[in-house]
Amino acid sequence: MLTQLSINNYALINQLSIDFSSGLSIITGETGAGKSILLGALGLVLGNRADLSSLNDTATKCIVEAKLAISTYNLQDFFNEVDLDYEAETIIRREILPSGKSRAFVNDTPVTLSVLNELRIQLIDVHSQHQTMQLSDKNFQFTVIDALAKNKERISSYQRGFAQLKQLKKELIELENAQREAQQQYDYNSHLFKELEAAHLKVDEQYLLEEKLERLNNIEDIKLNLSEALEISITDEIGIQSSVNNLENKLSKIAPFFKEYQNLLERITSVKIEIDDIVSEIESANESVDFNPNEAEEINDRLQLLYNLQKKHYVQSVEELLKVYEELSEKVLRVENADEVITNKQEEIKIVSEKLDAIAVIISKARNKSIPKITKELENLLADLGMENARFSILIKPTSNYFLNGKDELEFLFSANKGGNYGELKKVASGGELSRIMLSVKKVLSQNTQLPTIIFDEIDTGVSGDVAEKIGKLLKEMGQGRQLFAITHLPQVAAQAQHHLVVRKTEINQRIETSVVVLGHEERITEIARLMSGEIINEAALVNARTLLNSNEV
């Protein structure tokens, strides 16, 4: 419920703060006094777009602030979802800076306009004259029917399944597209995979083969140098082994005489052991060196295969080829296993679809069951509002299609005249009739669902006399247990108000400003008399206004 609205520097309003109560509040005022400005300011704080033309003084920022009591709206989960502090009395503030920049806050936390618009849906329903065309919107018509059918939880459950079904179908399409694309490449990928598989690639293989080939290509030099090294090592006259043996023999003879000689002996003995080991390995290496032209050819062929595969796959090593091999393996297996994956996905879709079908049937039955009640209530309300011959034809048509709110199509037709043909509301109902139909619809909704604060902007357009009085009484009845505002020019409607506000335009310091005043009893009599007679209020108008107001306060 809107408890307070504060406006600073907006349009013709310099500064305004006004408190609101529950029940029916009527807003009146001369044409052009600024009733639309009041709605504009409220729309601004609830997320409407803004520009510098909204500023009264373009050098000062505009601030519109609304206080709302929201404890009965069950909005805790929403506040958690958008990361806002929940307060039973929530304050929404909107600022427009002289630069044109706009800012919005909920409980002093900055928010986006999309968050404000989501809150607006939950908190305030503003109905202006052009919105009567909403009656022809199928989604709105379903909203009315589902409210009476008590389908809220069923539709919520259906929508969760519907979202799941959409996701599954999207995944199926992606799988099928991927399969088609992969199938086109399958033969080629399979060929590449088998080619790499047949190559029996091994880590470090290329490095080892290149090293071995290098050795084979230099086999003569290796053999020559090993032979010469062996000759240097073991020749009796000049061989290293012979020289070291002779040196060891000499030192062994003098080692007993001095410790330093003993150390030299031990060192040369160590060298002798190492040289003997080296010579042994040279001998072994020399014996193993054997040139095999077939082996060199085989290594060359193998390396050429590896080089060709690397060039073919635009890589630089066997390790990268192995990665390509793994990727090709996955692509080939994906195609080979795709039918099973797609079949599994189709089975998931079938299961979810069957569950949705079952919920949709329940929703459809509840809708059909509620239609006689909706039709009767709307026709009775319209009869009270001067449309005695109004008739509705509402048909629910089950389909095989999945929609956001079920599987039904809706035919919502209307006839205003006795014996007249049924047609779409926007084609067969006048503006005044549409306003009364919308009021009746809102009345039915208010009895069957928790509506937020409702604001009617001249919902009584096109009526007068006894019908106007009945509209006023209907609004008063709707205002019981909720907050309802109605902007009107009709005294019969204004007389029904629990709270009466008047919008006035006055000149202050050579500037036109709009103000809003809450009227007391005597002030209401004068305002209602003005609505009856115009600006020149005569005694007869005052007497009639007093009679009208007193009769409705009884």
Side-chain angles (χ1 to χ4, degrees):
M1 183 181 81
L2 179 66
T3 59
Q4 187 180 75
L5 183 66
S6 299
I7 306 171
N8 288 278
N9 194 36
Y10 178 78
L12 295 179
I13 298 175
N14 180 36
Q15 186 173 14
L16 173 68
S17 180
I18 185 166
D19 296 329
F20 300 106
S21 303
S22 61
L24 174 61
S25 295
I26 292 293
I27 301 174
T28 61
E30 299 176 15
T31 300
K35 297 185 293 297
S36 61
I37 293 175
L38 197 62
L39 288 182
L42 185 59
L44 182 69
V45 79
L46 292 173
N48 285 354
R49 295 286 174 182
D51 54 47
L52 285 175
S53 64
S54 301
L55 274 63
N56 185 345
D57 179 358
T58 56
T60 308
K61 71 178 177 180
C62 163
I63 302 175
V64 182
E65 185 175 276
K67 291 184 180 179
L68 299 111
I70 65 170
S71 59
T72 60
Y73 289 80
N74 299 318
L75 291 174
Q76 290 90 336
D77 289 342
F78 172 79
F79 273 68
N80 289 333
E81 287 174 12
V82 295
D83 198 25
L84 288 174
D85 293 330
Y86 175 82
E87 300 289 346
E89 184 179 64
T90 282
I91 298 176
I92 303 175
R93 186 172 78 256
R94 186 83 180 277
E95 299 178 357
I96 307 172
L97 305 181
S99 64
K101 183 178 180 182
S102 170
R103 301 185 298 187
F105 305 85
V106 174
N107 295 329
D108 285 330
T109 300
V111 296
T112 62
L113 292 188
S114 62
V115 171
L116 279 191
N117 280 308
E118 287 184 64
L119 262 180
R120 166 194 220 140
I121 295 170
Q122 308 275 359
L123 298 174
I124 295 181
D125 176 12
V126 180
H127 174 79
S128 57
Q129 293 180 47
H130 72 273
Q131 286 176 310
T132 52
M133 298 312 297
Q134 186 183 27
L135 285 168
S136 296
D137 180 71
K138 294 297 182 184
N139 290 327
F140 180 75
Q141 293 170 355
F142 268 120
T143 298
V144 177
I145 292 169
D146 286 326
L148 270 75
K150 309 298 182 186
N151 269 337
K152 182 178 179 181
E153 293 302 323
R154 300 185 190 106
I155 290 177
S156 294
S157 176
Y158 172 90
Q159 288 176 341
R160 289 192 292 271
F162 181 69
Q164 184 182 5
L165 181 63
K166 283 181 64 178
Q167 180 61 33
L168 288 172
K169 287 184 175 180
K170 178 183 176 183
E171 292 171 2
L172 177 61
I173 291 172
E174 290 173 351
L175 283 172
E176 290 172 338
N177 289 339
Q179 185 191 32
R180 279 192 293 271
E181 293 174 7
Q183 190 68 49
Q184 294 171 359
Q185 297 293 322
Y186 174 74
D187 292 339
Y188 181 58
N189 287 337
S190 180
H191 166 72
L192 294 177
F193 170 73
K194 290 176 181 177
E195 186 178 52
L196 290 176
E197 186 177 43
H200 300 293
L201 302 171
K202 299 175 184 177
V203 176
D204 292 334
E205 178 186 15
Q206 181 177 331
Y207 167 77
L208 295 173
L209 289 173
E210 288 173 339
E211 185 181 64
K212 192 172 184 180
L213 183 62
E214 181 73 13
R215 187 167 69 251
L216 289 174
N217 288 337
N218 293 278
I219 196 71
E220 292 181 0
D221 285 344
I222 293 171
K223 184 71 174 176
L224 176 62
N225 283 282
L226 282 174
S227 297
E228 290 179 352
L230 192 60
E231 185 177 357
I232 292 171
S233 300
I234 63 176
T235 301
D236 289 340
E237 294 82 6
I238 61 171
I240 293 174
Q241 275 187 319
S242 177
S243 298
V244 171
N245 287 337
N246 190 31
L247 180 57
E248 182 186 37
N249 183 48
K250 298 298 182 183
L251 288 175
S252 66
K253 292 178 180 179
I254 64 173
F257 303 118
F258 192 57
K259 185 176 180 180
E260 183 178 345
Y261 304 153
Q262 179 64 36
N263 289 339
L264 288 172
L265 175 62
E266 291 174 358
R267 290 170 67 187
I268 199 63
T269 299
S270 176
V271 170
K272 178 180 178 297
I273 293 171
E274 182 66 18
I275 287 175
D276 289 344
D277 188 56
I278 291 171
V279 171
S280 176
E281 288 192 21
I282 291 174
E283 286 179 324
S284 177
N286 189 47
E287 291 173 1
S288 67
V289 172
D290 183 23
F291 180 70
N292 183 346
N294 292 331
E295 183 182 11
E297 185 178 354
E298 289 174 1
I299 292 174
N300 260 316
D301 290 345
R302 179 64 177 173
L303 283 172
Q304 193 58 52
L305 172 64
L306 297 179
Y307 296 151
N308 289 341
L309 288 172
Q310 289 171 34
K311 183 178 180 181
K312 187 173 188 177
H313 293 281
Y314 303 99
V315 296
Q316 303 295 322
S317 67
V318 172
E319 286 71 25
E320 289 179 282
L321 275 178
L322 286 168
K323 289 182 180 178
V324 172
Y325 172 74
E326 291 175 3
E327 292 170 359
L328 287 169
S329 174
E330 290 178 5
K331 289 178 180 179
V332 170
L333 287 174
R334 192 180 303 131
V335 175
E336 292 174 349
N337 296 331
D339 288 341
E340 181 181 353
V341 175
I342 288 175
T343 300
N344 290 339
K345 189 64 65 176
Q346 290 171 334
E347 185 62 28
E348 286 185 72
I349 290 173
K350 180 182 177 184
I351 292 171
V352 173
S353 297
E354 288 173 350
K355 290 180 180 178
L356 272 185
D357 291 344
I359 299 173
V361 168
I362 296 172
I363 291 172
S364 187
K365 287 181 178 179
R367 285 169 174 168
N368 276 298
K369 188 177 179 180
S370 70
I371 285 174
K373 180 181 178 183
I374 297 171
T375 303
K376 182 179 179 180
E377 288 190 16
L378 288 177
E379 290 174 354
N380 287 343
L381 286 167
L382 289 173
D384 288 340
L385 298 179
M387 297 174 63
E388 296 83 359
N389 296 316
R391 295 291 181 270
F392 288 92
S393 174
I394 304 173
L395 297 176
I396 300 295
K397 300 177 180 179
T399 73
S400 59
N401 300 319
Y402 293 98
F403 305 115
L404 185 59
N405 62 354
K407 299 183 68 176
D408 293 332
E409 287 183 348
L410 173 63
E411 187 178 76
F412 199 106
L413 303 178
F414 174 74
S415 173
N417 302 311
K418 191 172 184 179
N421 295 325
Y422 287 97
E424 294 181 38
L425 280 165
K426 62 183 178 182
K427 295 181 179 179
V428 299
S430 67
E433 289 170 338
L434 285 172
S435 292
R436 279 177 277 176
I437 294 169
M438 177 60 87
L439 178 58
S440 299
V441 166
K442 294 287 185 179
K443 176 63 167 65
V444 170
L445 284 174
S446 70
Q447 295 172 168
N448 293 276
T449 188
Q450 180 65 43
L451 287 179
T453 292
I454 304 173
I455 300 177
F456 287 118
D457 184 7
E458 298 187 15
I459 192 69
D460 47 20
T461 298
V463 301
S464 60
D466 183 54
V467 173
E469 184 176 356
K470 288 179 177 178
I471 287 178
K473 289 180 178 180
L474 185 58
L475 289 171
K476 185 175 183 178
E477 185 180 339
M478 286 180 64
Q480 293 176 3
R482 67 176 44 82
Q483 188 180 49
L484 190 148
F485 294 90
I487 297 174
T488 185
H489 290 288
L490 299 180
Q492 298 94 329
V493 175
Q496 301 293 335
Q498 293 168 278
H499 317 284
H500 192 151
L501 297 83
V502 65
V503 180
R504 293 172 178 162
K505 187 163 61 174
T506 55
E507 183 176 336
I508 301 176
N509 297 326
Q510 297 184 332
R511 293 184 62 178
I512 301 298
E513 292 187 7
T514 291
S515 61
V516 180
V517 179
V518 179
L519 301 182
H521 181 77
E522 293 302 318
E523 293 170 310
R524 288 189 67 192
I525 293 172
T526 303
E527 176 63 12
I528 291 172
R530 184 192 66 77
L531 294 174
M532 290 178 171
S533 63
E535 290 305 308
I536 301 175
I537 303 173
N538 54 41
E539 186 61 32
L542 288 171
V543 170
N544 290 335
R546 188 181 301 277
T547 301
L548 181 61
L549 185 59
N550 289 341
S551 65
N552 287 305
E553 289 182 344
V554 176

